[in-house]
Amino acid sequence: MEHRIATIGSHSALQILKGAKDEGFGTIAVCEREKSWPYRRFKVADSIIELDRMSSFPETENELIKENAILIPHASFMNIMSIGQIENLKVPYFGNKSILKWESDRTLQREWLRKAGLTLPGIFKKPEDIDVPAIVKFHGAKGGKGFFLAKSGEEFHRKIEEHHGKTYIIQEYIVGAPIYIHYFHSPLDDELEVMSFDKRYESNVDSIGRIAAKDQLDMGLETSYNITGNVPMVIRESLLPQVFEMGEAVVEASRKIEGRGLIGPFSLETVITPELQFYVFEISARIVAGTNPYINGSPYTALRYKEPMSTGRRIAREIRQAIKDRELHKVLG
Ligand code: ATP
């Protein structure tokens, strides 16, 4: 029986399912009831499994196994399941599950990025240490919701009050241009590809400039970083060598920390300073939503491929190749 490609109906599922169809796979979307519209209407899912609550996803397992499905993870998996639950899934899973703990724990993530020799924003161990602008981030935050800035311990304590009981980290705030880099590492060819770049469109930080500074102060506005969408972009070409170097270093470090290392798509979230120094503030070890503007390929994939190549399609192509070479084990969980 042919393999089918399955994912949760959210995040980058349109791209993943369309890419799978382009590579000749049948597709399955697992959706929360009443949220299946996009997958039906855009005709990317051959079948849809509807659930009352997304948290009951593990119960669909037997059905997915029966359908010979391969699961493609994205951020929604991390939001609805614990790492333990993901590790226990028996349905074939694209990517290296063992890397998840390195990504989801901010301390381990830092260790990984440090091993790769990347420049990271500083961390303040306690609020009283804040002596430059800092960004306060909560664990498990969904796309920057609730993050705030503090320039001193006093400001931190004032603003943290409404976030009672949440765990957080205090990170140096880097002033510069935030740029998200999308990579794909193929374990079959042992090659790193730069797929695309995006910048985010976050509320309210990306629209606050529409209000005069005086009005911002009068209104007592606070910046927040809630993601609403992604904007496609290209990077200054002379920065590309560094982009490749950073990606290669992260892949190499991933092998040191976790055997098989990174499999498939990953992203470095960076801020570039006016001195053109990259600061990496996060890594995502799977497809990111910033690849969504490129369902029809990006300027960079256009250089390398003769047909439109999204990250979703690139995943399906890797699976297709692995099946052909009888090496599926190299790309699965
Ligand atoms: P996701 O997991 O969806 O990437 P998140 O909740 O982990 O989101 P971050 O991506 O870490 O949040 O941060 C959200 C936003 O905050 C970023 O897009 C960026 O604009 C800003 N930001 C985060 N860290 C820094 C930093 N150190 N300096 C400057 N800006 C930052």
Side-chain angles (χ1 to χ4, degrees):
M1 184 184 183
E2 253 284 296
H3 283 282
R4 298 178 80 187
I5 297 295
T7 196
I8 289 177
S10 179
H11 190 265
S12 47
L14 287 172
Q15 182 196 157
I16 291 170
L17 299 175
K18 160 84 164 74
K21 282 178 94 65
D22 287 345
E23 292 297 309
F25 288 103
T27 56
I28 306 169
V30 183
C31 301
E32 206 162 83
R33 213 172 293 288
E34 281 148 32
K35 290 193 179 163
S36 59
W37 284 63
Y39 311 99
R40 264 184 229 291
R41 292 290 175 91
F42 290 117
K43 302 192 185 308
V44 292
D46 294 320
S47 53
I48 291 182
I49 300 174
E50 286 198 322
L51 302 175
D52 288 331
R53 280 180 318 278
M54 217 52 236
S55 52
S56 41
F57 176 80
E59 291 162 25
T60 60
E61 236 196 344
N62 288 341
E63 194 171 342
L64 292 173
I65 291 171
K66 222 168 58 212
E67 294 288 348
N68 209 16
I70 295 176
L71 263 188
I72 313 297
H74 52 60
S76 301
F77 281 75
M78 309 297 284
N79 292 335
I80 61 162
M81 279 181 274
S82 65
I83 292 191
Q85 276 177 310
I86 295 178
E87 280 171 350
N88 285 335
L89 288 175
K90 286 183 200 64
V91 55
Y93 171 103
F94 179 79
N96 183 356
K97 285 182 187 173
S98 314
I99 211 99
L100 294 178
K101 69 168 188 291
W102 286 86
E103 185 206 9
S104 62
D105 177 320
R106 288 199 206 263
T107 315
L108 288 178
Q109 183 177 120
R110 241 181 124 72
E111 197 182 317
W112 173 8
L113 296 175
R114 270 208 190 294
K115 266 194 209 306
L118 304 184
T119 306
L120 315 180
I123 292 286
F124 299 101
K125 290 222 169 70
K126 45 185 201 305
E128 288 64 35
D129 294 344
I130 300 175
D131 55 357
V132 293
I135 180 164
V136 180
K137 302 180 172 189
F138 299 102
H139 288 286
K142 290 188 187 105
K145 193 165 180 220
F147 291 7
F148 64 82
L149 299 185
K151 290 169 287 304
S152 64
E154 185 277 319
E155 188 176 354
F156 170 89
H157 287 298
R158 185 160 40 81
K159 291 182 173 172
I160 198 74
E161 279 199 349
E162 66 177 275
H163 300 283
H164 193 69
K166 293 188 196 163
T167 49
Y168 57 80
I169 58 154
I170 310 172
Q171 199 176 69
E172 176 189 3
Y173 185 82
I174 308 296
V175 181
I179 292 184
Y180 291 67
I181 312 171
H182 318 140
Y183 297 97
F184 187 93
H185 175 247
S186 161
L188 300 179
D189 303 336
D190 194 17
E191 187 185 332
L192 176 79
E193 295 169 39
V194 170
M195 303 298 289
S196 45
F197 300 85
D198 79 293
K199 61 180 211 161
R200 291 183 168 188
Y201 194 50
E202 294 166 338
S203 185
N204 58 13
V205 71
D206 289 318
S207 53
I208 220 157
R210 290 159 57 93
I211 303 169
K214 180 179 174 308
D215 293 331
Q216 292 177 23
L217 292 173
D218 290 349
M219 289 159 79
L221 281 182
E222 292 288 352
T223 42
S224 62
Y225 298 81
N226 208 355
I227 182 89
T228 60
N230 301 82
V231 185
M233 59 166 296
V234 292
I235 198 167
R236 186 173 166 169
E237 195 156 312
S238 57
L239 292 173
L240 275 174
Q242 239 177 302
V243 166
F244 276 100
E245 266 170 43
M246 292 194 301
E248 295 282 2
V250 167
V251 171
E252 206 181 302
S254 74
R255 290 206 183 102
K256 288 190 187 129
I257 60 170
E258 200 37 77
R260 297 195 298 157
L262 277 164
I263 295 173
F266 69 100
S267 169
L268 291 181
E269 309 187 357
T270 73
V271 177
I272 308 180
T273 65
E275 295 73 35
L276 299 182
Q277 169 71 52
F278 279 91
Y279 278 82
V280 177
F281 63 84
E282 188 158 319
I283 181 167
S284 294
R286 70 192 97 76
I287 188 168
V288 289
T291 59
N292 284 341
Y294 305 111
I295 288 185
N296 216 20
S298 80
Y300 301 95
T301 61
L303 295 168
R304 199 176 183 288
Y305 292 94
K306 290 198 176 63
E307 64 269 270
M309 185 57 66
S310 67
T311 294
R313 184 171 183 181
R314 184 65 190 82
I315 293 171
R317 181 158 294 189
E318 190 78 356
I319 294 171
R320 179 61 76 211
Q321 184 67 33
I323 293 169
K324 193 165 147 258
D325 299 347
R326 297 182 182 280
E327 290 193 318
L328 252 188
H329 61 279
K330 284 198 176 170
V331 300
L332 300 184

